[in-house]
């Protein structure tokens, strides 16, 4: 059976649903039987009646509810009307009393604040008893045995309250009168606060000493300062206590300098009495740094303040150029002080230059100082040399040295380098880095110039020949050669001494300066002295032997033997007196080279004399050569006869070649037997090649000439073209065309070289 579960909204809807149900039932075959249908129909009718009754009850209930709702809504509408009327009246009244309401809001707030502040004041008086608490703190503080940290926490609490009240006064002036009551309670707090922090800051006035003797107290003081700043940071106030700590440390350092240097009147005394700063910085690094938090960077603060105190006392002295130039020692002491100070910093981990201003100012005076040192070296060296000449380079003294077989030396090398070493003793430890390098470069350069000038003057003044009652010029030359050899030895010792003051970075540069400026300079001077010695040896040879080469006397006498005998005689004495074998070897080589060069030159000179050639090529390089001046009245006839005799010799290969070969053999035998060690095999071979090439060029067949020309540039050097011109003149088998051709070949070879 179908159950009516749906709630219908009205009667029509219910009837329609009932009809549909009936039609459904009637269409069902189950209900087509009469008996069943009647039962079902009766049952349906009953249900229909029940349904209609329920529907009527429901409709009545809904109608009652609607009536009640309508009554309530009517009542609400009436209330809304009344509210609107009241709101309108209130708005009118509010508009009329708006100014009063604004004032009322302010008064209510003020009353509220006043009530709360009053309660707070009563509570603070009751709880904190500010005056009584401050008295207790003051009593504890003055006892000297208080717990400063605990006392500080109490102080911070009271300071916070006071500062908050002051802030309230500043932000609410209306409450000033009421707040003045509590502020009176804090009158003595500021006084106690100042006394407390003054006591704490006393230890920072002697920070370095405190870090050694009272490290725990110093650390506690720093903790109190850190706490005080954190308290201010929480209240978003400026952090003042750390800054005051730094300022107190700086003032303590300033006061220490004032006490230590109160009697210092000049830069020397300032530097001397400032030595304590180095020891202080070591103590600061070893002890003070450990007590302070890292963010203080306490070592840098202390080091900077020490620097400030030194600079403000020294810089004024450096501003006065006259004072500086009157006392260069102070300048060097200052550099030494700065360098030692910076070395100290490097030991404790600081690598930068601290005294930049001082160092730059000192560097600005270094050229003046260097001129001063250079003038000292020049004056001392010149005095030593003058004294040496007057007292040591005398005939009596040199004769004594030779007879007693002592070294042929005088004292000026030792004196000069002793003086330079004294300057190094003073300045070496005080000059560092680039300043030291420039000092050494200037000293070496100045000494080199002084000694070069002395050598030039000596060479210009030395007589060409030995004079009676005077020292032999050759002895003086050997003496000076030995002296400059000793200068070289002493300079090497001074170099090694200098290197003791150098670090690895600059030692190589210092060695290079000594090598270039001194060793190189002394070698140059010694070479000049050896060349002058060579010329002196040849003075006698040039006067008595060389002018007669390629003349009848050359044919009749062994002139080269005589020249070698003279050379050997000189060298024998020189070898005994010259200290350095290398220098003696150089002199021997120079002498034999000069002998062969002179031999070439004399051939050129002789041919030019009799034949006027080489035309246009006459060398300007010839040295110390001349013919014997004729004293006879019949000079022209003598000269004509001489030319004829010489021409006969030079135009006859059967006469000239054997004699030239003999000269070559004599020279080379002398070298090989007596001086091969000094000349050296390479040089001996070169000398042999020069003479052999010359002889072969005159004597060998024309077919070999081109091969010989290849040897000319190296053998005869600047004389090559002149030698070839002479050789071609001496050969009867060479016409002008052949001569021109060979000259062009040689010229091309020289240009290629």
């Amino acid at each position: 059976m179908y159950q009516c579960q749906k709630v219908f909204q009205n009667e029509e809807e219910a009837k329609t649903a009932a009809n549909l149900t009936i039609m459904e039932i009637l269409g069902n075959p189950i209900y087509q039987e009469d008996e069943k249908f009647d039962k079902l129909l009766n049952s349906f009718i009953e249900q229909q009646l029940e349904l209609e009754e329920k529907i009527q009850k429901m409709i009545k209930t809904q109608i009652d509810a609607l009536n009640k709702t309508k009554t309530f809504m009517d009542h609400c509408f009436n209330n809304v009307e009344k509210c609107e009327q009241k709101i309108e009246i209130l708005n009118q009244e509010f508009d009329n009393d708006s100014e009063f309401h604004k004032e009322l809001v302010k008064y209510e707030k003020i009353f509220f604040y006043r009530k709360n502040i009053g309660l707070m004041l009563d509570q603070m008086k009751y709880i904190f008893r500010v005056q009584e608490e401050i008295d207790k703190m003051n009593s504890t503080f003055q006892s000297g045995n208080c717990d400063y940290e605990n006392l500080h926490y109490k102080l911070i609490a009271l300071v916070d309250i006071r500062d908050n009240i002051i802030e309230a006064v500043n932000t609410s002036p209306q409450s000033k009168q009421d707040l003045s009551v509590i502020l009176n309670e804090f009158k003595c707090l500021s006084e106690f606060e100042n006394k407390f922090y003054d006591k704490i800051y006393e230890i920072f006035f002697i920070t370095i000493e405190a870090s050694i003797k009272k490290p725990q107290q110093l650390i506690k003081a720093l903790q109190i300062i850190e706490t005080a700043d954190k308290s201010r940071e929480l209240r978003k106030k400026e952090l003042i206590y750390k800054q005051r700590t730094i300022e107190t440390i700086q003032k303590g350092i300033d006061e220490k300098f004032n006490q230590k240097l109160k009697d210092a009147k000049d830069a020397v005394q300032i530097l001397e009495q400032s030595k304590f700063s180095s020891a202080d910085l070591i103590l600061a690094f070893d002890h003070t740094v450990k007590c302070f938090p890292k963010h203080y960077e306490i070592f840098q603060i202390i080091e900077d303040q020490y620097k400030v105190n030194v600079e403000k006392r020294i810089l004024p002295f450096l501003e006065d150029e006259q004072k500086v130039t009157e006392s260069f020692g102070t300048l060097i002491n200052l550099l030494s002080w700065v360098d030692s100070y910076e070395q100290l910093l490097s030991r404790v981990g600081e690598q930068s230059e601290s005294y930049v201003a001082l160092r730059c100012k000192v560097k600005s005076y270094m050229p003046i100082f260097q001129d001063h040192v250079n003038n000292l070296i020049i004056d001392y060296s010149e005095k030593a040399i003058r004294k040496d000449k007057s007292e040591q380079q005398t005939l009596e003294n040199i004769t004594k040295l030779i007879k007693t077989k002592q070294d042929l030396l005088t004292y000026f090398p030792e004196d000069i380098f002793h003086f330079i070493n004294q300057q190094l003793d003073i300045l070496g430890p005080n000059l560092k880095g680039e300043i030291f390098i420039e000092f050494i470069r200037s000293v070496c350069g100045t000494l080199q110039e002084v000694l070069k000038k002395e050598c030039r003057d000596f060479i210009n003044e030395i007589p060409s020949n030995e004079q009676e009652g005077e020292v032999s010029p050759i002895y003086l030359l050997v003496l000076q050669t030995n002296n400059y050899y000793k200068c070289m030895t002493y300079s090497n010792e001074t170099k090694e001494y200098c290197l003791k003051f150098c670090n690895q970075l600059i030692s190589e540069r210092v060695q290079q300066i000594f090598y270039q400026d001194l060793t190189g300079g002394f070698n140059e001077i010694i070479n000049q002295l050896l060349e002058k010695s060579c010329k002196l040896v040849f003075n006698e040879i040039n006067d008595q032997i060389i002018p007669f080469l390629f003349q009848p006397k050359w044919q009749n006498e062994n002139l080269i033997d005589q020249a070698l005998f003279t050379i050997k005689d000189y060298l024998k004495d020189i070898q005994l007196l010259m200290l350095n074998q290398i220098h003696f070897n150089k002199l021997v080589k120079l002498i034999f080279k000069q002998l062969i060069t002179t031999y070439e030159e004399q051939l050129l000179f002789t041919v030019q004399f009799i034949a006027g050639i080489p035309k246009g090529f006459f060398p300007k390089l010839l040295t110390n050569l001349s013919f014997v001046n004729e004293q006879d009245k019949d000079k022209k006839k003598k000269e004509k006869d001489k030319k004829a005799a010489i021409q006969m010799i030079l135009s006859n290969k059967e006469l000239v070649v054997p004699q030239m070969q003999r000269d070559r053999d004599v020279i080379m035998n002398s070298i090989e037997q007596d001086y091969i060690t000094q000349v050296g095999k390479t040089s001996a071979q070169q000398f042999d090649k020069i003479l052999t090439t010359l002889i072969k060029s005159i004597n060998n067949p024309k077919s070999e000439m081109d091969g010989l020309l290849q040897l000319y540039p190296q053998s005869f050097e600047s004389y090559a073209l002149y030698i070839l011109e002479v050789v071609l003149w001496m050969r009867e088998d060479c016409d002008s065309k052949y001569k021109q051709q060979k000259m062009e070949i040689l010229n091309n070879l020289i240009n290629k070289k």
Side-chain angles (χ1 to χ4, degrees), residues 271 274-275 277-278 281-282 332-347 355 359 429-432:
L271 291 175
S274 297
K275 289 182 178 179
S277 59
S278 300
L281 287 175
I282 293 176
I332 301 308
N333 287 337
L334 178 58
L335 269 180
S336 175
W337 192 90
V338 171
D339 284 326
S340 62
Y341 185 92
E342 289 173 354
Q343 286 178 5
L344 166 69
L345 293 186
S346 66
R347 285 168 51 197
Y355 284 95
R359 188 177 287 277
N430 303 324
L431 302 178
K432 303 297 179 183

Side-chain angles (χ1 to χ4, degrees), residues 21 36 40 258 277 286 359 363 427 432 448 461 469 505 520 540 575 662 671 682 699 725:
T21 304
K36 288 183 178 180
L40 290 170
N258 291 336
S277 59
D286 291 340
R359 188 177 287 277
K363 283 183 178 180
L427 302 176
K432 303 297 179 183
Q448 181 192 41
E461 294 170 1
L505 295 175
E540 181 180 341
Q575 187 172 20
R662 183 186 181 284
I671 291 174
T682 302
N699 192 45
E725 185 80 11

Side-chain angles (χ1 to χ4, degrees), residues 380-605:
Y380 186 87
S381 300
E382 290 178 346
K383 288 178 182 178
I385 290 169
R386 286 197 300 271
K387 181 180 179 182
D388 203 68
K389 285 182 178 179
S390 62
E391 297 180 6
Q392 300 297 317
Q393 297 181 28
T394 62
L395 179 62
E396 180 183 358
N397 185 58
I398 291 177
T399 304
K400 178 183 176 182
L401 292 175
I402 294 172
K403 286 184 176 180
T404 57
K405 297 183 179 181
Q406 298 182 56
D407 291 340
L408 191 57
L409 283 170
T410 53
Y411 296 144
F412 88 80
E414 183 178 357
D415 291 344
I416 289 174
F417 280 94
H418 179 71
F419 176 76
I420 291 175
N421 290 342
Q422 285 180 330
Q423 307 310 307
L424 280 173
D425 284 335
I426 299 170
L427 302 176
N430 303 324
L431 302 178
K432 303 297 179 183
E434 290 298 326
I435 295 178
F436 183 75
I437 289 174
E438 291 306 315
F439 168 75
I440 294 300
R441 180 178 285 113
S442 181
V443 168
C444 291
T446 300
L447 182 60
Q448 181 192 41
E449 290 303 317
V450 171
L451 296 181
K452 278 186 175 180
K453 178 181 178 300
E454 165 58 23
C455 180
R456 287 194 300 268
D457 293 343
F458 170 79
I459 289 174
N460 292 333
E461 294 170 1
I462 195 168
S464 299
N465 298 302
E466 187 172 346
Q467 299 176 7
E468 188 176 353
E470 299 292 336
V471 181
S472 169
I474 199 69
Y475 287 169
L476 288 175
L477 282 165
V478 174
L479 172 69
Q480 290 295 72
T481 303
N482 290 341
N483 281 339
Y484 285 104
Y485 164 65
K486 275 299 178 182
C487 284
M488 190 182 299
T489 303
Y490 290 135
S491 73
N492 287 330
E493 294 175 1
T494 299
K495 177 193 69 177
E496 295 301 322
Y497 188 50
C498 280
L499 294 178
K500 294 180 180 179
F501 305 111
C502 301
N503 57 37
Q504 190 173 2
L505 295 175
I506 66 171
S507 61
E508 186 174 344
R509 294 171 64 185
V510 169
Q511 291 184 71
Q512 190 68 15
I513 291 169
F514 272 90
Y515 176 75
Q516 290 178 346
D517 292 355
L518 279 186
T519 304
F522 291 137
N523 276 324
E524 183 180 341
I525 290 172
I526 289 171
N527 288 337
Q528 291 175 3
L529 293 170
L530 294 176
E531 289 173 3
K532 184 65 176 179
S533 300
C534 179
K535 289 180 180 179
L536 280 180
V537 170
F538 271 84
N539 280 344
E540 181 180 341
I541 298 172
N542 287 336
D543 289 341
Q544 300 177 15
I545 298 173
I546 300 301
F548 299 101
L549 292 175
F550 311 107
Q551 296 184 38
K553 190 175 183 180
W554 179 55
Q555 288 285 301
N556 300 323
E557 301 179 22
N558 297 325
L559 296 183
I560 292 299
D561 295 71
Q562 296 176 30
L564 289 171
F565 178 80
T566 303
I567 289 171
K568 190 172 182 180
D569 192 43
Y570 273 106
L571 290 179
K572 182 179 179 181
D573 289 343
I574 292 172
Q575 187 172 20
L576 292 174
L577 299 175
M578 192 169 285
L579 293 180
N580 186 267
Q581 183 66 34
I582 294 175
H583 298 151
F584 177 72
N585 295 349
K586 284 184 179 180
L587 178 59
V588 174
K589 189 182 295 185
L590 278 174
I591 287 174
F592 278 98
K593 183 176 181 181
Q594 180 65 30
L595 178 62
I596 293 171
T597 302
T598 304
Y599 194 83
E600 297 172 14
E601 290 177 344
Q602 188 62 31
L603 175 62
L604 294 173
F605 193 86

Side-chain angles (χ1 to χ4, degrees), residues 20-233:
L20 288 173
T21 304
I22 292 170
M23 292 302 295
E24 182 181 347
I25 294 171
L26 290 177
N28 193 335
I30 303 173
Y31 301 107
Q32 291 180 2
E33 295 180 6
D34 293 338
E35 194 173 325
K36 288 183 178 180
F37 180 78
D38 290 338
K39 290 180 180 180
L40 290 170
L41 181 60
N42 292 332
S43 174
F44 177 75
I45 292 171
E46 289 176 0
Q47 291 178 0
Q48 184 69 28
L49 290 174
E50 290 177 1
L51 180 60
E52 288 178 355
E53 186 178 354
K54 289 181 179 179
I55 290 171
Q56 289 176 359
K57 289 181 179 179
M58 181 187 66
I59 292 172
K60 184 179 178 182
T61 302
Q62 289 180 349
I63 291 171
D64 291 340
L66 287 171
N67 288 333
K68 290 180 180 179
T69 302
K70 182 177 179 299
T71 303
F72 175 75
M73 291 297 294
D74 290 339
H75 180 71
C76 288
F77 283 128
N78 290 334
N79 288 338
V80 169
E81 256 179 57
K82 291 178 181 178
C83 287
E84 288 177 348
Q85 291 173 358
K86 288 182 179 180
I87 289 170
E88 186 175 354
I89 294 170
L90 288 172
N91 285 336
Q92 291 176 355
E93 290 177 353
F94 184 81
D95 290 340
N96 294 334
D97 299 332
S98 59
E99 293 299 324
F100 171 76
H101 283 288
K102 290 179 182 178
E103 293 296 327
L104 183 61
V105 170
K106 293 180 181 178
Y107 284 123
E108 286 178 348
K109 287 182 179 179
I110 290 171
F111 177 78
F112 177 76
Y113 292 153
R114 182 174 181 180
K115 180 180 178 182
N116 287 337
I117 289 173
L119 290 172
M120 183 186 71
L121 295 177
D122 290 340
Q123 289 175 352
M124 288 179 64
K125 287 180 181 179
Y126 175 74
I127 297 173
F128 292 106
R129 298 187 297 278
V130 177
Q131 182 63 54
E132 182 181 343
E133 187 65 28
I134 291 173
D135 290 342
K136 288 181 180 179
M137 290 168 62
N138 199 22
S139 176
T140 304
F141 178 72
Q142 291 179 352
S143 68
N145 297 318
C146 61
D147 183 349
Y148 285 101
E149 289 179 282
N150 184 42
L151 197 62
H152 185 240
Y153 284 123
K154 292 181 180 180
L155 175 61
I156 287 178
L158 292 175
V159 169
D160 284 346
I161 295 171
R162 180 198 64 190
D163 290 349
N164 287 332
I165 295 171
I166 293 173
E167 185 178 349
V169 169
N170 293 333
T171 56
S172 179
Q174 298 88 345
S175 305
K176 185 173 182 180
Q177 183 176 0
D178 295 317
L179 291 172
S180 62
V181 177
I182 189 64
L183 284 177
N184 287 333
E185 294 290 327
F186 287 93
K187 278 184 179 179
C188 57
L189 179 61
S190 296
E191 181 183 351
F192 175 76
E193 182 183 16
N194 292 334
K195 285 167 56 179
F196 179 83
Y197 284 113
D198 286 345
K199 182 67 175 177
I200 294 300
Y201 280 108
E202 283 180 3
I203 198 167
F204 296 119
F205 205 74
I206 53 168
T207 300
I208 297 176
E209 290 81 353
S211 65
I212 300 170
K213 298 177 181 179
K214 305 174 182 178
Q216 294 303 320
Q217 289 186 24
L218 181 61
I219 292 170
K220 284 185 178 181
L222 284 166
Q223 290 172 345
I224 288 172
I225 297 305
E226 293 276 289
T227 302
D229 267 339
K230 285 180 181 178
S231 175
R232 292 183 66 85
E233 184 179 9

